[in-house]
Amino acid sequence: MSKQPSRSHLFLQHLPPQARCYAEVPGLDALLDSWLSIARQAWPDVMLPEEDFLRHVATRLGPSDEPAATLAALPVADLYLACACARGLPTAHAALERHLLPRAASALTRVRGGGLDTAEVLQQLRQRLLVPQGDAEPRIAEYQGTGPLAAWLRAAVVRTAFNLQRAEGRRARAEEDAEAEGSAWVERGGAGGDVELDYLRRRHQQDFREALAGALGSLSPRERTVLRLHVVEGVSLERIGAMYQTHKSTVSRWISQTRRTVLEGARERLAERLQLSADELRSLMRVVHSQLDVSLLGLLKEPG
């Protein structure tokens, strides 16, 4: 029978090159044994395979002048729970729900402006932290263990609340702009080219919506996520850039290209669906373009 690899072997084989200093820590096997004992005592119902846990911790380590002290200071019980949540273990989600999210929700008292629905904020937080986007791990996997998980979650609650407030503000402004545009059209008496646009808008409203929804559905996970973060949740270019480790100018180019992709996808779908002349299609696309932001706000809010 082949011998099972030691915990230190499992741990060391997953260290990134910049973290090889941890290979020289004395008594590493005993330390890793204590990690598993501490984590499983803290979360006895969460049965995370030890190799998953050791890989999770190892891949998050960076250079250190005092590797032994760094390893000894890690909040291993918190890292264990975060790893188990990232792996989608129901018992881990239940533990997070029972022990940490209610404490994290208390941070909402720090959010100015009021009017926040705690249940909605927490639901948004669950979606953001526990549901994977495309091939990426759930965001709770980004917890590095540089502080307590409870503090990290409180900061996440506050960010989620601010994002919801900004999104509500953007939606309110979009609705006000749409209402103002409609009022202005009425005051102008519906004259000129606006008559054609209004007719097309009313006649093909469902066609517009389905064409845009189809175009959005063809986006890559990253394109859709970045567009939703910026358009719906109001996340700044700088913040999105930090999430994807790139400059805000790159994020701006991503968003511009994604908008062009959506418009082109909608144009192709409308042309195929309605069999219009070139002039009619151009007129339709004027309507799609004029309503793009408002339409995206609604479509990107929908699940799926």
Side-chain angles (χ1 to χ4, degrees):
M1 181 179 292
S2 61
K3 184 179 179 181
Q4 290 291 329
S6 66
R7 284 171 176 161
S8 60
H9 176 76
L10 293 174
F11 178 73
L12 294 174
Q13 71 179 352
H14 295 297
L15 283 174
Q18 68 271 22
R20 298 307 301 176
C21 58
Y22 299 98
E24 306 302 324
V25 172
L28 186 58
D29 266 317
L31 178 63
L32 299 182
D33 289 347
S34 71
W35 282 6
L36 269 298
S37 177
I38 290 169
R40 286 173 174 165
Q41 285 179 16
W43 313 111
D45 296 330
V46 181
M47 301 306 295
L48 175 69
E50 64 182 53
E51 183 174 0
D52 285 0
F53 173 58
L54 295 175
R55 181 193 303 114
H56 182 86
V57 178
T59 55
R60 280 151 182 79
L61 291 172
S64 174
D65 294 331
E66 299 181 349
T70 299
L71 293 183
L74 286 175
V76 292
D78 286 350
L79 284 163
Y80 185 91
L81 183 63
C83 177
C85 285
R87 298 296 183 274
L89 297 187
T91 53
H93 289 181
L96 188 78
E97 191 77 33
R98 185 165 57 251
H99 297 286
L100 293 177
L101 284 187
R103 291 160 54 191
S106 66
L108 290 175
T109 58
R110 295 159 44 192
V111 179
R112 291 180 295 177
L116 291 167
D117 184 335
T118 300
E120 181 181 3
V121 173
L122 290 180
Q123 184 56 35
Q124 288 283 336
L125 184 68
R126 294 182 192 98
Q127 180 74 19
R128 290 169 66 83
L129 294 186
L130 303 177
V131 178
Q133 295 291 333
D135 296 330
E137 288 187 298
R139 285 192 188 172
I140 197 167
E142 297 174 6
Y143 169 66
Q144 301 288 319
T146 55
L149 180 58
W152 189 85
L153 287 171
R154 285 196 296 271
V157 163
V158 171
R159 285 196 301 272
T160 301
F162 282 142
N163 288 340
L164 280 172
Q165 285 182 331
R166 282 194 292 267
E168 287 298 332
R170 291 173 70 91
R171 280 193 289 273
R173 287 192 296 273
E175 290 171 0
E176 290 172 0
D177 290 346
E179 183 177 351
E181 179 184 352
S183 298
W185 181 84
V186 171
E187 290 173 3
R188 290 194 300 269
D194 286 334
V195 174
E196 178 189 12
L197 290 184
D198 185 64
Y199 169 75
L200 293 172
R201 183 182 293 117
R202 287 184 286 106
R203 180 178 179 183
H204 296 293
Q205 182 176 7
Q206 187 61 28
D207 295 319
F208 298 156
R209 182 178 180 82
E210 292 178 6
L212 284 171
L216 285 172
S218 69
L219 295 178
S220 69
R222 190 198 70 185
E223 289 172 327
R224 187 178 177 90
T225 298
V226 169
L227 194 62
R228 188 184 68 248
L229 286 171
H230 187 62
V231 172
V232 178
E233 300 183 19
V235 180
S236 68
L237 299 180
E238 291 88 345
R239 176 59 182 156
I240 298 174
M243 293 176 184
Y244 287 89
Q245 297 183 333
T246 190
H247 194 268
K248 67 177 183 179
S249 62
T250 301
V251 177
S252 179
R253 287 195 297 273
W254 287 352
I255 293 171
S256 296
Q257 179 57 51
T258 300
R259 289 168 64 91
R260 287 194 293 271
T261 299
V262 169
L263 285 170
E264 179 60 22
R267 187 191 69 78
E268 292 174 355
R269 286 167 172 79
L270 286 170
E272 181 179 357
R273 178 172 185 154
L274 301 177
Q275 300 294 308
L276 299 172
S277 69
D279 287 342
E280 289 172 326
L281 185 58
R282 277 194 293 272
S283 294
L284 274 177
M285 290 310 299
R286 286 173 59 198
V287 177
V288 174
H289 194 279
S290 70
Q291 293 188 312
L292 183 61
D293 285 340
V294 175
S295 299
L296 290 177
L297 279 169
L299 289 169
L300 287 168
K301 281 185 63 182
E302 297 177 355

